Amino acid sequence: MSRQLIRPVSKHSSDKDKAMPIYRQLAGLIQNIIEDEYSIGDYLLPEIQLAKKYDVNRHTIRSALDELVKQGIIVRQPGKGTMVVSSPIDYHISKSTRFTSRLEELGYETTSRLISKSIEVAPVQVAKYLRLPTGAKVIRVRTLRSVAETRVCVIDHFLSADRFSKVKTRFGSGSLAKFMKVHYQVDFERTISLISSTPSTPDLAQHLQLSSHIPMLCIKTLNCQAGNSEERIEFSISHTRSDCMQLQVGDVKQIKPKDDSIES
């Protein structure tokens, strides 16, 4: 059962708080209450009820919740409500992992939006992993992935322009892996993953609607045809919000902790 927010905005705010916009004061208050009283998976009251409880208009409540969405503390789920997801999503990396299908298995609603498509000379690292000759052309597809209304990662996909021209002319949105399976009978299998941290850039911060101080997880992946690591299909570079996602590598079935909690 969903808990209710029960604390009103204080009428005895400090001068510093009074100088802060109301919606930001509300965002901070709601965040504190979530941390103290809510569990992951709990739902907040509907916006109209929150507005009545805090004696503010609905636009102010929506702006406060928007701040928490950007921070990855809550997500909006159409038709269900606003859910608490204050800890990072546990994303398991394996040979067959797919962003969309994996998160939908965990109960999240996902979207993929096409940012751009272009044909360009393959960067050195891309050519190396795809085993393309110097000067070979690749199709670069940039997509934005969201979990509910929270923008989580920007992915650059690189594929041979000679082999996969339909990607440039026909791919528009959704899962690129599914597109490749339908149009080229290709079934992706992850063979290499290189994971590092990197600072955000103004471009990434704009796409992901986050502060530039939040570090990014950079995940470089080589996908081959399933069962044939010699047939290299795609090289991708994902820039993922580190505050929204934590990566789990290995066979989860082999992990048997002594109890339900794992100390960090």
Side-chain angles (χ1 to χ4, degrees), residues 46-58 61:
E47 289 179 2
I48 192 169
Q49 293 184 41
L50 289 174
K52 183 177 180 180
K53 183 171 288 293
Y54 289 108
D55 194 24
V56 296
N57 61 49
R58 191 169 180 180
I61 281 292

Side-chain angles (χ1 to χ4, degrees), residues 14-195:
S14 66
D15 291 339
K16 181 179 179 180
D17 287 337
K18 289 177 181 178
M20 186 184 299
I22 297 278
Y23 77 92
R24 287 189 176 173
Q25 293 184 47
L26 273 172
L29 175 63
I30 295 172
Q31 180 178 350
N32 289 337
I33 294 174
I34 287 173
E35 291 174 355
D36 291 342
E37 302 178 9
Y38 278 69
S39 299
I40 297 171
D42 284 348
Y43 284 86
L44 303 185
L45 286 173
E47 289 179 2
I48 192 169
Q49 293 184 41
L50 289 174
K52 183 177 180 180
K53 183 171 288 293
Y54 289 108
D55 194 24
V56 296
N57 61 49
R58 191 169 180 180
H59 175 75
T60 300
I61 281 292
R62 185 176 295 117
S63 296
L65 297 182
D66 284 344
E67 290 293 301
L68 301 183
V69 168
K70 291 177 184 178
Q71 295 176 45
I73 294 170
I74 58 175
V75 295
R76 290 187 175 95
Q77 297 191 326
K80 295 182 180 180
T82 304
M83 187 176 74
V84 175
V85 289
S86 55
S87 67
I89 298 169
D90 192 4
Y91 186 75
H92 179 218
I93 290 182
S94 67
K95 286 185 177 182
S96 60
T97 298
R98 300 289 175 269
F99 182 91
T100 300
S101 59
R102 174 57 182 162
L103 291 177
E104 288 179 350
E105 286 173 5
L106 295 174
Y108 296 103
E109 295 185 13
T110 67
T111 58
S112 176
R113 180 172 68 84
L114 177 67
I115 297 175
S116 63
K117 290 187 294 185
S118 62
I119 295 180
E120 58 189 62
V121 174
V124 173
Q125 187 179 45
V126 173
K128 171 187 173 183
Y129 280 102
L130 292 180
R131 293 178 177 170
L132 298 175
T134 301
K137 297 293 184 67
V138 291
I139 301 170
R140 178 176 181 171
V141 179
R142 170 166 275 201
T143 58
L144 173 66
R145 303 298 183 89
S146 300
V147 179
E149 294 186 18
T150 301
R151 299 183 178 192
V152 172
C153 64
V154 172
I155 307 177
D156 289 298
H157 311 263
F158 298 90
L159 305 103
S160 168
D162 290 336
R163 291 185 63 190
F164 305 116
S165 59
K166 291 179 184 177
V167 174
K168 181 65 168 66
T169 57
R170 298 188 184 182
F171 178 72
S173 62
S175 169
L176 180 59
K178 290 181 180 178
F179 178 92
M180 295 295 290
K181 190 168 186 177
V182 169
H183 292 276
Y184 290 100
Q185 293 72 56
V186 166
D187 193 7
F188 282 174
E189 183 174 85
R190 184 190 302 262
T191 56
I192 296 174
S193 290
L194 306 172
I195 305 170

